[in-house]
Structure formats: structure tokens, C-alpha cells
Amino acid sequence: MNDMSSHKDEYLDRKIKKRWSLSKQSIKSRILDSLSSLKMKTESMNRIHTPTAPLDPNIIEGYALNDPEVLSVELRNAHTVMSLCRLKLLQYHHILEKVVPPNDAQAQQALTGIHELSSLLNTKKTTNTGINIDPAYEAGERLDSSTPHRTKPNSPINENELTRKPSVDMTVFKHVAIPISENLKAYLRGKTKIEDRRVQIWSKAAIGQYLWSHILNGSLEVVNNGFYQNGNVSISGMTFDYFSGPGYIQTTLPQNVRYLILVLNGRTSEHSLKALEWLEYLYRLQALRKLAVILLGNEGCEDDWIVKHLKSKGGIIDVLFIVYDSPLVDDEEVFQWPLGVATWLPNETEESLNKYINILSRSFLTLSPAGKNPECYRLYEAISLGSVPVVVMEPPQGRCVNPPLRLLFRYNAPIIKLSSWDEAIRLLAKTNLDLPITSVELLAWYASFKKQIATALINKIEHKFFNPF
């Protein structure tokens, strides 16, 4: 029984080994067949695709790298993509600039960056070889070699120019689904040029508040008890952003300002030194393109320190407005500016201020003797309250031109001019005083005067900043 069992086990063992041997041979054979077949296919493919001649590295997929037709197609495709990207960026800029706060320096810098990128994507703008393009001169605008804004006086001036050609073709609008304003379309056609007509006003003198509140009639937001004073007003297609207060110094104001009106105090030598610091700092602002300065000048009209900063002298100031009868006024580059009412109140209480206002309001005449200069705050304060000023036409001090009060009389100011104070005494002694104008008419004249000054300012800024030719 045991022998039969043993033979059976041996038989099964031989059978299993035989089958395993056949299986191994079969697997090995199949692997070898597969490898052989793969080798044959590989050799066949190599025979078919291996060229008899060496490959030309300048030919890719059957096309020559320098084939004009291929290059033309690739350029058209690249231009289309760049044009669409530029269009999108301009649209985003057009939308965002309406809602971005003017005092948000980082957001304003981002807007400038968007505009710079759009300039880089201008597919039809060409530049001369070797020109170092200032990124501040974005949107295809030209750098006028006669306007060395970032060059200090007596320094070498970069004579290179950036040329501007028409923007992308309007066919790109066929691929754009979102609506586009007509002005933006015109800009992209190259038929018209949209300027960023946003002008900042940095006020570092009290006459800045007279400019803002009385001439431009701008609103004013006072923050932190006057530490920051901000405003915004749109006039004649231009937007003016006002910055004032001790919280604003050179480095806390928007560094990407392009169009600027800077209000400075140059009444004394100490004030002039501080004003110079501001002017010197502006040469660092790479984005700055146009600058107007409104200067509270010296009462003796000794303001020669600012001359070297005028554009005609190689400086940064495109147009200067100066208080008092300065000999610098030429009505071309330098214009006279009114002193206006006092907007600062040193040692003034609310009670004394109200008393002063009531006295002027109830007075038909206001005597205004000249101090260092015949033009004083009292003249404008009396007029603004309906009281006719009385002045003696005395020769001015220093370098001021004679006769004085040139600006006021140019606008036919209803001021009583006398040759001496003895004549004033005789005038006041009269029982029946014949006034040249009524209080109502005087107030109307003053309102008209301020409006004309505002119009003149706007026209000068328009001409000097945006239409220089």
C-alpha cells in the first residue's frame, strides 16, 4: 500500500515538473519571439525614417526657420495676442482710475504700472536703438528734450527722444466681447491721444488754501485735526487732487505724480530754504512730467533764488505764479498771483475774528496803509465783505515794480487810490461821500475776479501741461 502511494507521488511529481518545464520554455519562447518581433519593427522604422543625408538644423517640421511666410504668420499671431492684452490693460486702467482713491499711493502706483505694461505691449511703437526708455514715459508719450524734468540746472540733458506712432489696429475689437468707450477706441486707432488729465496740488503754504477753497471752490476733508487735508474737484475736463497739512512731507505724498501744482512759501530767507528743499526733491520723481509752482514771494520781490529752476533756465518749473509785483513776471513763463484773504489765524480767537469780520462788514471804506508791500490780506478781506479799500499809491520797497497792485488794477479793482494820507483825511471829512461802487456791486466784482483768476489758471495749466504747442 505504501509502495503504491509512493509510486503515485513520484508520478505526480514528474508530471508537474514536466508541465513546469514546458511552461518555462513556452514563456521564454514567447518573450524571445516578442523581443525579436520588436527588434524587427524597430529596424524597419529606422530604415523608413532615417534620412540618407544629415539633418538640416534650420528646418523644423519641413519649414525653414527664416521662411518669410512663417515669420509673417508668427508675427501676426504675436501682435494679435499683444494687442488684446494691451487693450484689456487699458480697459482695466480706465475703470480702476475712477474708483481708486487719489491718496492711496500703492493703488496709484499699481495704476501707473498697468499703464507702463500697456506701453510695452504697443506693437506699433518703435524706438531708436540705444535709447534708455524711462518707464515713467508710458503709453507712447514723447520725452521732449526741451523739458529736462529730472535734470537739475547746469546738469547734462538727455537729448534722446521717444517717438510715438499710432496704436494697435482696430481689428482687435472683433475679438473682444466687453464694451469699450468711444474715447478708448479712438485712442487705440491712434487718431487721438488721451492724456491722464489728473493734476495734484501739494500745498505747503497758506495761500494754497485760498487757491483751493476760494479760487477753485474745492471741497475739503480734514483728517486728524488738520494733520491731513484732502480734496478733489473736476474743472474743464481736468481733475485736481488737493494735499495739504503737516502730515504730508516729501516722502508721504504720491511718488508717481505726473502733473503737479506745488504751492510754496518764499516770503523770508528761511521759507525760501525750505521751498528749495521741495524743489530739489522733485528732481528725483521719475514720473513727474509737468510742474507749476505758486509761490508766496518775498514782499520786496527779491525772488531770484527760484529763477534757475525755471524751464527756460534748464530747470524743472514749466510755469510759475508769484505773489506781489515781481519783475520776473513776463506773462509767458511767469505770471502774477493774488495774495488773497488770510487763511491762517495766528493768535486769533473766535471772538476776535468775529469782531473783525463784523467791523469790515459794517464799514463802507477800509483804510489799508502799506506795510512792506501795498498788497496785503486786508485788501482782499475788505473786498470779500463789501467794504471799499482805500490805498495810498506809495512806491514799493525792494525790487517790486511801480506802480503797485498791478494785478488788481489789471482786473479793474474798485479800490480808491490816493496820493497821500492827507488826501484821505480830506476825503473822510466830506459829509456826502460819493462811493465808486456799492457793497453789492463790490461783492459781485470780487466773485467775478476769482472766477477770472480760476479761468486763467486753468487755461495756463491746459496750455503748459497738455497742449504745449
Side-chain angles (χ1 to χ4, degrees):
M1 188 73 179
N2 291 334
D3 292 338
M4 292 179 62
S5 174
S6 174
H7 287 298
K8 186 176 181 180
D9 291 340
E10 290 177 1
Y11 171 76
L12 291 173
D13 186 52
R14 286 195 302 270
K15 192 172 183 179
I16 291 171
K17 288 181 178 180
K18 184 178 180 179
R19 288 184 176 180
W20 172 244
S21 176
L22 292 173
S23 177
K24 286 170 55 180
Q25 292 176 1
S26 176
I27 293 171
K28 182 178 181 181
S29 176
R30 289 178 182 177
I31 291 174
L32 290 174
D33 290 343
S34 298
L35 290 174
S36 176
S37 176
L38 179 62
K39 181 179 179 181
M40 292 175 62
K41 289 181 179 180
T42 304
E43 291 176 351
S44 176
M45 293 294 291
N46 288 338
R47 285 195 299 273
I48 294 173
H49 294 285
T50 302
T52 58
L55 287 174
D56 188 346
N58 293 320
I59 297 179
I60 297 178
E61 297 182 355
Y63 292 98
L65 291 180
N66 59 352
D67 189 332
E69 183 178 352
V70 175
L71 292 175
S72 178
V73 172
E74 291 180 348
L75 283 174
R76 285 199 299 270
N77 291 339
H79 283 190
T80 300
V81 173
M82 293 173 68
S83 299
L84 289 171
C85 291
R86 183 170 184 265
L87 174 62
K88 286 283 189 180
L89 287 172
L90 288 172
Q91 289 174 325
Y92 297 152
H93 185 277
H94 182 70
I95 295 170
L96 291 174
E97 69 176 350
K98 296 180 180 180
V99 297
V100 170
N103 57 352
D104 190 333
Q106 290 185 341
Q108 290 292 335
Q109 186 67 39
L111 284 177
T112 300
I114 292 175
H115 226 166
E116 292 172 358
L117 289 176
S118 71
S119 175
L120 295 176
L121 294 172
N122 186 353
T123 60
K124 293 188 178 182
K125 183 176 68 175
T126 61
T127 58
N128 296 328
T129 304
I131 295 178
N132 295 321
I133 301 176
D134 189 333
Y137 286 79
E138 70 276 11
E141 294 190 286
R142 187 171 65 87
L143 173 58
D144 190 345
S145 61
S146 64
T147 311
H149 278 295
R150 284 165 309 285
T151 307
K152 291 187 179 182
N154 303 321
S155 299
I157 297 173
N158 183 6
E159 297 295 338
N160 292 326
E161 273 194 353
L162 301 184
T163 58
R164 179 181 185 272
K165 289 193 173 183
S167 192
V168 299
D169 190 89
M170 281 299 294
T171 55
V172 298
F173 287 105
K174 298 178 181 178
H175 309 286
V176 181
I178 59 177
I180 303 166
S181 69
E182 291 301 319
N183 286 338
L184 186 56
K185 289 182 181 180
Y187 176 81
L188 292 173
R189 290 190 193 101
K191 292 182 178 180
T192 184
K193 179 181 178 181
I194 295 179
E195 286 277 6
D196 178 7
R197 297 167 64 85
R198 197 172 207 98
V199 180
Q200 294 185 20
I201 300 175
W202 297 358
S203 176
K204 303 310 297 179
I207 59 171
Q209 189 172 340
Y210 180 73
L211 160 69
W212 185 251
S213 299
H214 296 255
I215 301 299
L216 298 180
N217 293 317
S219 60
L220 193 64
E221 178 187 9
V222 178
V223 181
N224 292 340
N225 295 322
F227 199 67
Y228 298 101
Q229 300 174 33
N230 306 316
N232 179 275
V233 67
S234 294
I235 306 173
S236 300
M238 286 182 280
T239 300
F240 295 89
D241 300 312
Y242 182 73
F243 301 86
S244 184
Y248 286 120
I249 59 175
Q250 286 92 332
T251 54
T252 60
L253 284 158
Q255 302 299 290
N256 63 335
V257 58
R258 291 192 285 178
Y259 303 106
L260 175 63
I261 298 175
L262 179 62
V263 185
L264 295 174
N265 185 352
R267 173 167 284 190
T268 66
S269 58
E270 291 78 13
H271 289 129
S272 298
L273 290 176
K274 293 180 180 179
L276 273 173
E277 291 178 2
W278 278 90
L279 287 175
E280 292 288 340
Y281 182 80
L282 294 184
Y283 287 97
R284 308 178 189 179
L285 302 184
Q286 296 297 310
L288 184 61
R289 298 188 183 162
K290 298 292 181 180
L291 172 66
V293 171
I294 298 179
L295 177 67
L296 175 58
N298 176 268
E299 290 179 290
C301 301
E302 296 169 351
D303 306 298
D304 290 344
W305 59 271
I306 201 171
V307 171
K308 68 178 182 179
H309 294 282
L310 295 175
K311 181 179 178 181
S312 62
K313 305 300 181 183
I316 196 174
I317 301 174
D318 292 274
V319 56
L320 172 64
F321 300 88
I322 189 168
V323 176
Y324 301 126
D325 299 300
S326 171
L328 299 178
V329 173
D330 58 9
D331 291 332
E332 292 290 338
E333 187 178 30
V334 184
F335 300 86
Q336 191 163 349
W337 185 257
L339 176 62
V341 300
T343 55
W344 50 279
L345 302 173
N347 303 320
E348 185 76 82
T349 65
E350 184 176 354
E351 180 181 0
S352 63
L353 176 60
N354 290 332
K355 183 178 180 180
Y356 177 68
I357 292 174
N358 289 333
I359 291 173
L360 287 183
S361 301
R362 292 185 285 107
S363 301
F364 292 111
L365 299 174
T366 295
L367 303 182
S368 183
K372 293 183 179 179
N373 194 290
E375 186 174 5
C376 62
Y377 295 114
R378 185 168 47 253
L379 286 175
Y380 295 90
E381 291 164 351
I383 293 173
S384 68
L385 294 171
S387 181
V388 179
V390 178
V391 300
V392 171
M393 300 297 287
E394 299 174 338
Q397 298 182 14
R399 300 184 57 220
C400 296
V401 298
N402 193 31
L405 306 177
R406 173 177 53 192
L407 181 66
L408 285 169
F409 290 128
R410 178 183 298 176
Y411 287 92
N412 300 315
I415 297 175
I416 298 177
K417 298 183 292 184
L418 303 176
S419 59
S420 68
W421 287 111
D422 290 335
E423 186 179 357
I425 294 174
R426 292 192 294 270
L427 175 67
L428 296 175
K430 293 182 179 180
T431 56
N432 295 322
L433 186 61
D434 186 18
L435 294 176
I437 192 172
T438 66
S439 294
V440 175
E441 293 171 337
L442 182 58
L443 293 174
W445 175 89
Y446 185 55
S448 175
F449 169 77
K450 291 189 294 183
K451 186 175 181 179
Q452 291 180 76
I453 292 296
T455 300
L457 173 67
I458 297 299
N459 290 341
K460 296 299 184 300
I461 295 299
E462 172 78 31
H463 172 66
K464 295 289 186 176
F465 282 20
F466 305 113
N467 297 301
F469 303 109

